[in-house]
């Protein structure tokens, strides 16, 4: 049985939460391997709606869940999310949640810096969630981060605080802010350490032991490939690698541990925040997609930008992330359109491109080339088999497969976990 990595194949918000929840029931362990609490995964189970940001989606069903070393952890956000779940009847314990001891911490001054930079950037705003994700990753790479394991020995973090303060105090002064209050920071960390430490262990060891026993591991990504720091629409990207290769490095397992790579993609395209978006529809069609798809960010509440499916970008995601199969979500949002368009290429300075260029000016200048397909009037909402889909909907799916050079493994037709058409079982591969 294969282990499975689930990643977003667009700009995030593709419906990963439902798909991970659907798969988690058959997994033995679920692992978050990158990102932070800037992610937003919505799970609908019966009459209850769960909105997760940091916790792995398996936690709601009691599947053993892991926050891997590739995640940046805000301990106060973790506590708030655990308490919110407890209010919804889900008890998160050290038996169900394990946190890597090497996770870097997101600290209050990271959030401050994130907001100060965005406010000062004017037209150059990235559109971050202002939750300190980027600054925390910068400190990790700069070798000055305070990590989860340091919470167990706060009396010894003086030298690391010196490194942090040397960097951040200069930045804060540039924004007219006072230096870090080191004593207050240490006291805040002492206050949260008792909550976090019971969940902490060397998860790389636990995961490798699980693999050796033949346990099925589900790797859960956050954001999407088009927000990858290397392969996304830079600089309008997140601060981590979101591609499937990070499942190995962000969990402490070798690349051979990742088997089937399931890419999640909407049947159309959305984006939150700033950055290029070739197929964006700033018209009544875009409004219709947004209204029918309830397109508002899980974390930020921001309205998502909407457009037709961009098969060029999706094909690029398939290539750079080694996607084995696609889970196509929100097919029902396209119900009732007389015509549906799909981007099959770009025009740039008189040339036709079959890939998305890397430079920001070129990305902003490309014009999409569309292929028009006949729509369908019948409803696909809640369909659970091919037989329940209109012929034109099936034709649309088959054409998408051709354009992105990847088979569709699952089709999601509503937020309900059972409203899923299984074409190819990722765990059986």
């Amino acid at each position: 049985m294969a282990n499975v990595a689930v990643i977003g194949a667009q700009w995030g918000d593709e419906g990963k939460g439902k798909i991970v929840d659907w798969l988690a029931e058959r997994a033995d362990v679920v692992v978050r391997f990158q990102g932070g609490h800037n992610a937003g995964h919505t799970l609908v189970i019966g009459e209850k709606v769960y909105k997760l940001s940091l916790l792995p989606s398996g936690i709601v069903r009691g599947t053993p869940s892991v926050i891997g070393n590739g995640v940046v952890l805000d301990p106060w956000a973790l506590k708030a999310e655990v308490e919110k779940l407890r209010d919804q009847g889900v008890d998160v314990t050290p038996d169900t949640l394990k946190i890597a001891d090497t996770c870097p911490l997101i600290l209050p001054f990271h959030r401050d810096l994130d907001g100060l930079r965005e406010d000062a950037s004017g037209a150059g705003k990235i559109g971050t969630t202002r939750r300190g994700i980027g600054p925390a990753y910068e400190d990790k790479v700069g070798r000055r981060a305070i990590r989860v394991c340091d919470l167990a020995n706060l009396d010894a973090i003086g030298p690391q605080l010196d490194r942090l303060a040397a960097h951040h105090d200069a930045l804060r002064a540039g924004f007219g802010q006072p230096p870090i209050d080191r004593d207050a920071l240490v006291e805040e960390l002492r206050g949260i350490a008792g909550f976090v430490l019971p969940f902490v262990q060397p998860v790389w060891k636990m995961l490798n032991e699980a693999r050796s026993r033949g346990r099925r591991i589900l790797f859960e990504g956050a954001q999407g490939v088009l927000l990858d720091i290397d392969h996304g629409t830079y600089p309008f990207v997140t601060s981590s690698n979101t591609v499937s290769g990070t499942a190995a490095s962000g969990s402490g397992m070798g690349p051979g541990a990742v088997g089937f790579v399931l890419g999640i993609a909407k049947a159309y395209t959305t984006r939150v925040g700033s950055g290029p978006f070739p197929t964006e529809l700033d018209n009544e069609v875009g409004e219709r997609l947004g209204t029918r798809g309830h397109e508002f960010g899980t974390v930020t509440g921001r309205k998502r930008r909407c457009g037709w499916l961009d098969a060029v970008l999706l094909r690029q995601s398939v290539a750079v992330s080694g996607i084995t199969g696609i889970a196509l979500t929100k097919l029902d949002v396209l119900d009732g359109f007389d015509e549906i368009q799909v981007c099959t290429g770009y025009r740039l300075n008189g040339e036709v491109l079959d890939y998305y260029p890397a430079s920001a000016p070129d990305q902003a200048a490309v014009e999409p080339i569309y292929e028009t397909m006949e729509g369908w009037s019948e409803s696909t909402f809640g369909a659970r088999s091919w037989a329940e889909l209109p012929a034109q909907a099936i034709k649309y799916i088959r054409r998408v497969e051709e354009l992105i050079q990847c088979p569709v493994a699952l089709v999601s037709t509503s937020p309900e976990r059972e409203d899923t058409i299984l074409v190819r079982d990722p765990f059986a591969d």
Side-chain angles (χ1 to χ4, degrees):
M1 304 291 283
N3 295 327
V4 178
V6 176
I7 60 169
Q10 295 163 313
W11 279 295
D13 305 308
E14 303 95 346
K16 291 184 291 297
K18 170 193 167 170
I19 301 300
V20 171
D21 176 53
W22 190 84
L23 291 167
E25 192 172 44
R26 299 164 59 217
D28 298 303
V29 186
V30 180
V31 187
R32 267 287 305 274
F33 58 83
Q34 50 78 219
H37 65 307
N38 55 338
H41 296 170
T42 301
L43 283 69
V44 180
I45 301 176
E47 298 297 316
K48 288 191 174 182
V49 177
Y50 302 92
K51 294 183 181 291
L52 306 180
S53 294
L54 183 59
L55 293 169
S57 296
I59 201 76
V60 173
R61 294 190 177 274
T63 305
S65 298
V66 171
I67 294 176
N69 58 275
V71 174
V72 284
L73 184 87
D74 183 323
W76 299 278
L78 173 71
K79 187 172 187 286
E81 194 167 326
V82 167
E83 290 174 346
K84 182 179 178 182
L85 277 185
R86 187 176 297 134
D87 291 341
Q88 291 186 280
V90 178
D91 195 20
V92 179
T93 71
D95 290 328
T96 57
L97 178 65
K98 318 289 183 184
I99 300 173
D101 49 4
T102 52
C103 280
L105 294 176
I106 299 175
L107 302 171
F109 54 82
H110 291 134
R111 296 192 295 270
D112 295 343
L113 181 58
D114 207 353
L116 290 166
R117 283 174 169 170
E118 280 288 277
D119 291 339
S121 294
K125 283 184 180 179
I126 300 297
T128 77
T129 57
R130 297 171 177 257
R131 298 194 169 199
I133 309 296
Y137 273 117
E138 290 175 38
D139 281 348
K140 172 184 177 177
V141 175
R143 295 168 292 182
R144 54 183 170 262
I146 294 174
R147 302 188 298 173
V148 167
C149 56
D150 296 323
L151 293 175
N153 196 8
L154 289 171
D155 291 334
I157 66 168
Q160 202 67 357
L161 275 179
D162 290 342
R163 291 175 58 79
L164 268 174
H167 178 77
H168 281 275
D169 286 352
L171 291 175
R172 291 172 66 85
F175 285 107
Q177 299 297 308
I180 294 170
D181 186 333
R182 294 170 53 145
D183 292 338
L185 174 62
V186 172
E187 285 309 303
E188 284 188 85
L189 291 172
R190 288 192 198 282
I192 198 67
F195 174 82
V196 176
L197 287 173
F199 299 103
V200 176
Q201 65 172 266
V203 300
W204 65 267
K205 187 173 184 293
M206 168 246 183
L207 289 171
N208 278 280
E209 288 171 353
R211 184 188 177 199
S212 70
R213 295 195 303 271
R215 300 291 188 262
R216 286 178 293 196
I217 301 171
L218 181 61
F219 300 94
E220 179 182 12
Q223 291 91 37
V225 174
L226 301 180
L227 293 173
D228 185 274
I229 189 69
D230 290 314
H231 299 289
T233 48
Y234 191 90
F236 301 98
V237 293
T238 194
S239 298
S240 62
N241 286 109
T242 60
V243 293
S244 62
T246 315
S249 61
S251 63
M253 305 185 75
V258 182
F260 194 103
V261 180
L262 184 66
I264 317 299
K266 286 176 181 169
Y268 51 102
T269 310
T270 64
R271 177 165 201 171
V272 171
S274 306
F277 185 171
T279 65
E280 183 173 11
L281 298 171
D282 189 15
N283 56 25
E284 62 181 25
V285 176
E287 285 291 328
R288 182 177 173 184
L289 289 170
T291 300
R292 294 200 61 188
H294 307 289
E295 296 296 354
F296 295 90
T298 301
V299 170
T300 63
R302 289 181 291 183
K303 186 177 179 180
R304 296 177 186 138
R305 302 151 63 190
C306 298
W308 294 121
L309 183 71
D310 191 328
V312 183
L313 277 171
L314 189 49
R315 182 172 64 243
Q316 209 155 309
S317 293
V318 168
V320 301
S321 209
I323 293 173
T324 316
I326 288 288
L328 195 67
T329 66
K330 292 199 169 184
L331 180 68
D332 56 292
V333 174
L334 298 182
D335 293 352
F337 280 94
D338 294 331
E339 292 183 340
I340 297 170
Q341 293 187 305
V342 182
C343 176
T344 60
Y346 307 119
R347 286 191 182 90
L348 177 64
N349 301 324
E351 281 188 71
V352 175
L353 301 181
D354 63 354
Y355 67 95
Y356 200 46
S359 75
D362 286 348
Q363 289 179 351
V366 297
E367 298 178 5
I369 299 170
Y370 286 114
E371 177 179 311
T372 302
M373 299 184 64
E374 183 182 344
W376 56 89
S377 58
E378 305 96 321
S379 173
T380 64
F381 186 83
R384 298 183 182 183
S385 70
W386 283 116
E388 298 177 62
L389 293 180
Q392 285 303 129
I394 295 174
K395 187 176 180 180
Y396 177 75
I397 294 168
R398 294 305 186 204
R399 182 56 178 149
V400 169
E401 289 180 318
E402 292 173 355
L403 290 170
I404 68 174
Q405 299 171 9
C406 183
V408 169
L410 297 165
V411 180
S412 172
T413 57
S414 93
E416 297 290 338
R417 70 189 302 274
E418 299 303 329
D419 292 340
T420 304
I421 301 170
L422 176 63
V423 183
R424 183 179 177 187
D425 185 352
F427 274 125
D429 232 63

